[in-house]
Amino acid sequence: MALLGADARRDFEIHRYPLLIYALVPLVALVLQAWLPRILGRFAWVDLPLVITVYFALGRRNPVQGTVIGAVMGLFEDALSHYAIGINGIAKTAVGFLAASVGIRVEVDNHTVRVLLIFVLSLVSSAIYLFVSRFMLGLAIEWSWLTELFRAVGNSVVGLVLFPVLDRLQIRE
Amino acid sequence: MDSLFTRYRNLVVLLAFLVVQIAGLAVQVRRTSYGRSTLDTVDPKSVRLIRLWANAVVSPPERLIHATKIGSTGLWTDYFDLIHVRQQNQDLQKTVDRLRLEQAALLEDARQGQRLQAMLGFQEKYIYTTVPAQVYGSSGSDRSHVFYIDKGAHNGLKPDMAVITSDGIVGKVRDVFPYSAQVLAVNDPTSGAGVILETTRIRGVLKGDVAGRLEVVGVTADQRIKPGENVLTAGGDLIFPRGLPVGVVERVATDPDNDGLVDIYLKPATHLDRLDEVLVITSTEPRFSKQDQQDITTSENLKGAEAATISDQLKAAQIMGEKLPGLVDPSLPPDKQPLYDDTNPNPATPPPQPLHPDEFSPGAAYTPPSATNPPAGSGTGADNSSASHAPSGAGSKAAPASHSTPQTPPQRNL
């Protein structure tokens, strides 16, 4: 894992995509996220909005953009559920910021690094969700870390398959 | 100041986003009188607006995917899966006939029940009108057991309407949009419904746990609660009509938080993860719907006489059973019945076998006399030998009687 200067990496390796991709990919992720549980039932251990947040945050290497992408994806997820709007929003805002901050300093085109990052950031997202809902809001929610571990693995597998596909959509100079 | 913002721009933006969202959360959570935090059951206007926008963005593509799926499966079911339709149609017709007969037979009981309810001042609410709807999406989170249906305010849906299938209850309408609605499933931890165990009549509150399992909480420990018992809606929650199937008791576990209480885990009557079509109960009335009344009239016209005949036969059999002594005691287990009781000094014995079976002998086929088979006592060696071996009794007396007076009818040889 090569550590580089922030400015050097930002200048050379910012991933750029057509504007349509920025709108379409998150939308497809949200739609599939809402549709997959009807196919996989309670074994739908995947969080596509998180995977997409991490992907764009790593690619753009801009913490502000990572924050915005994460916040939008998280708020949409909350809005589709019946829970308070903002719990997922806070979790994914933080994940977007962290992913972009890591993307500035670390070589992230390597698939292993990406998968590892998704796995860790999935667990970070779960921990923030738990912290906000149980400790900040005092909501009585039941929790299973085993399920969160499965979800982190599921996200990593999806990222392993999805990231090379999304890489093909980049604008090459 | 400007340079400070520029230098810490990323952190400032992050903090701004976090603070705004935390403030937004603060207005959605309230503290109950028990000192616990809970979410408002009704969203504030601003929150509802966000949900409306999210639904407007995500719903159309979801519906498109759902319609594509329906179209592809419809192609299969409409054209290729019709091989056994004729047989299925015949089976269904038989089922309809049987149900019509049952309905006609139960009609009098239903009327009597209604009369008794009227006398007690209690009015049963029947499902009056329903709206069928297709399920096209979910929340996408296993922590939030809600799903979306393709009917909304334009179809007369309102919050807190019950959602069912033909198998049992599913949930209640939580939020209504113009052309869609969000349904809170019964297996969500925040849902609740009053239920009653069918045979033991024990009441409890139905909830979901984090894994999406159904459980009845707040039930006093009772040894009568056994796996396999049906659980129905109790009707006291003003959402679900009484008597709808909820599920079957799977296991009973001690409540870890409350001594003396148990949690009853259920196997849901409906497959809550794979719902396709549901019915939203839009109104309940203390009388049958027009469709129900039509069905009842049809059943009464078609099968009423048949049901009455069966009922009369059952009554007659019951009266005969009560009057006649029997070898079967319904209060005893099969191995303790008097017929099989070895300890009884005077056991009931089965009737002796007849020596000369005739048309009156139980269980014996009687062959009428003919030229090749002369009547008993006509002088054949075989008949004579059997008569000579017969013990003195009814059988031995019957032969001479029939022999001496051939015109008299044969006596019972028991």
Side-chain angles (χ1 to χ4, degrees):
Chain A
M1 196 180 294
L3 291 172
L4 299 174
D7 290 337
R9 292 209 58 79
R10 193 180 295 165
D11 288 344
F12 284 105
E13 296 182 30
I14 293 175
H15 296 182
R16 291 186 172 81
Y17 305 88
L19 198 61
L20 195 63
I21 296 298
Y22 285 114
L24 214 56
V25 172
L27 179 64
V28 170
L30 286 166
V31 170
L32 285 179
Q33 184 66 30
W35 192 67
L36 273 180
R38 289 182 42 72
I39 307 297
L40 302 174
R42 59 195 174 93
F43 301 106
W45 289 316
V46 64
D47 189 348
L48 286 175
L50 182 129
V51 176
I52 296 302
T53 299
V54 172
Y55 177 78
F56 280 122
L58 284 176
R60 294 297 302 169
R61 293 186 168 85
N62 184 329
V64 172
Q65 290 179 14
T67 301
V68 173
I69 291 169
V72 170
M73 297 298 275
L75 288 173
F76 259 93
E77 268 194 290
D78 285 328
L80 291 173
S81 77
H82 73 291
Y83 277 118
I85 293 179
I87 304 179
N88 266 310
I90 290 172
K92 291 201 170 45
T93 300
V95 165
F97 178 84
L98 286 173
S101 302
V102 171
I104 294 170
R105 292 174 173 81
V106 175
E107 169 62 64
V108 290
D109 284 339
N110 185 309
H111 291 312
T112 312
V113 175
R114 285 173 163 184
V115 167
L116 205 65
L117 271 174
I118 294 173
F119 182 81
V120 172
L121 289 171
S122 294
L123 292 177
V124 168
S125 172
S126 299
I128 295 172
Y129 187 98
L130 179 67
F131 176 78
V132 172
S133 53
R134 189 177 281 179
F135 299 107
M136 280 180 66
L137 302 178
L139 296 172
I141 62 161
E142 292 185 52
W143 194 260
S144 164
W145 275 111
L146 192 64
T147 307
E148 301 310 314
L149 199 66
F150 285 147
R151 186 174 286 117
V153 172
N155 290 340
S156 305
V157 172
V158 169
L160 192 65
V161 177
L162 194 65
F163 281 14
V165 177
L166 291 174
D167 282 342
R168 291 172 178 270
L169 303 174
Q170 285 182 60
I171 297 172
R172 307 274 180 189
E173 291 178 3
Chain B
M1 184 68 187
D2 192 31
S3 60
L4 196 69
F5 176 78
T6 310
R7 184 170 180 181
Y8 295 106
R9 188 185 58 161
N10 296 340
L11 273 177
V12 169
V13 170
L14 174 69
L15 281 174
F17 270 80
L18 292 180
V19 167
V20 168
Q21 290 181 83
I22 290 168
L25 282 173
V27 299
Q28 297 174 66
V29 178
R30 63 183 171 84
R31 197 163 281 272
T32 62
S33 55
Y34 302 106
R36 297 177 72 173
S37 298
T38 182
L39 295 171
D40 275 330
T41 49
V42 180
D43 290 329
K45 273 188 177 177
S46 54
V47 172
R48 198 173 177 285
L49 198 63
I50 296 172
R51 291 199 201 280
L52 192 67
W53 289 342
N55 186 57
V57 170
V58 175
S59 269
E62 265 187 302
R63 283 181 184 231
L64 190 69
I65 292 175
H66 184 70
T68 311
K69 183 193 163 207
I70 292 284
S72 57
T73 52
L75 187 72
W76 176 264
T77 53
D78 289 348
Y79 292 97
F80 300 111
D81 199 21
L82 295 173
I83 299 165
H84 302 296
V85 166
R86 189 181 294 276
Q87 182 60 41
Q88 282 175 355
N89 197 24
Q90 288 171 353
D91 292 343
L92 286 173
Q93 190 55 50
K94 284 178 188 171
T95 307
V96 169
D97 285 345
R98 183 173 53 78
L99 291 176
R100 285 204 184 286
L101 186 61
E102 286 176 13
Q103 191 176 36
L106 292 171
L107 189 59
E108 193 53 40
D109 289 344
R111 283 177 179 152
Q112 187 183 22
Q114 283 179 330
R115 282 196 297 273
L116 289 170
Q117 284 176 3
M119 284 166 67
L120 294 169
F122 174 81
Q123 282 195 316
E124 172 83 44
K125 295 267 185 165
Y126 299 101
I127 297 169
Y128 199 70
T129 51
T130 56
V131 172
Q134 291 271 341
V135 179
Y136 69 83
S138 71
S139 69
S141 165
D142 56 357
R143 300 181 191 112
S144 170
H145 296 96
V146 295
F147 59 86
Y148 288 85
I149 55 175
D150 65 348
K151 298 285 162 53
H154 283 274
N155 304 97
L157 268 59
K158 289 175 185 166
D160 286 341
M161 283 179 170
V163 182
I164 62 169
T165 67
S166 56
D167 296 325
I169 64 167
V170 168
K172 66 171 184 178
V173 175
R174 186 185 175 275
D175 210 348
V176 180
F177 307 111
Y179 296 99
S180 61
Q182 188 190 57
V183 177
L184 180 66
V186 285
N187 63 342
D188 188 86
T190 60
S191 77
V195 294
I196 186 167
L197 275 66
E198 190 177 29
T199 52
T200 54
R201 312 308 289 174
I202 294 169
R203 287 169 183 267
V205 177
L206 181 77
K207 291 177 78 68
D209 69 359
V210 70
R213 290 172 301 191
L214 279 182
E215 57 178 339
V216 184
V217 296
V219 178
T220 309
D222 193 320
Q223 289 185 337
R224 293 176 298 160
I225 305 169
K226 301 285 183 198
E229 182 168 2
N230 287 328
V231 180
L232 310 171
T233 49
D237 50 23
L238 302 177
I239 294 173
F240 295 103
R242 196 164 67 102
L244 295 175
V246 175
V248 178
V249 174
E250 205 165 47
R251 65 186 174 90
V252 182
T254 310
D255 188 340
D257 300 326
N258 298 296
D259 288 338
L261 298 181
V262 291
D263 294 336
I264 303 170
Y265 288 91
L266 307 182
K267 184 183 178 188
T270 51
H271 209 309
L272 295 167
D273 291 336
R274 304 281 168 86
L275 291 168
D276 281 325
E277 288 172 346
V278 293
L279 292 171
V280 185
I281 301 173
T282 48
S283 73
T284 55
E285 296 283 337
R287 58 200 164 96
F288 289 121
S289 67
K290 285 179 183 172
Q291 185 61 52
D292 286 343
Q293 285 172 359
Q294 277 178 4
D295 286 345
I296 288 168
T297 309
T298 310
S299 297
E300 203 172 21
N301 292 338
L302 290 176
K303 300 285 180 180
E306 202 175 332
T309 308
I310 292 172
S311 177
D312 289 344
Q313 285 173 351
L314 286 172
K315 278 179 188 170
Q318 196 178 357
I319 290 165
M320 290 290 285
E322 285 170 0
K323 286 182 177 175
L324 291 172
L327 292 174
V328 178
D329 188 346
S331 61
L332 292 174
D335 57 334
K336 298 287 183 189
Q337 293 291 332
L339 191 62
Y340 308 109
D341 189 4
D342 298 332
T343 60
N344 189 353
N346 299 309
T349 53
Q353 292 299 312
L355 292 172
H356 302 286
D358 56 18
E359 61 181 316
F360 300 105
S361 301
Y366 172 70
T367 310
S370 63
T372 54
N373 189 12
S378 61
T380 60
D383 285 335
N384 286 338
S385 66
S386 63
S388 64
H389 286 95
S392 59
S396 58
K397 288 174 184 170
S402 60
H403 180 67
S404 57
T405 53
Q407 283 79 19
T408 52
Q411 295 173 10
R412 296 202 70 170
N413 196 10
L414 292 171

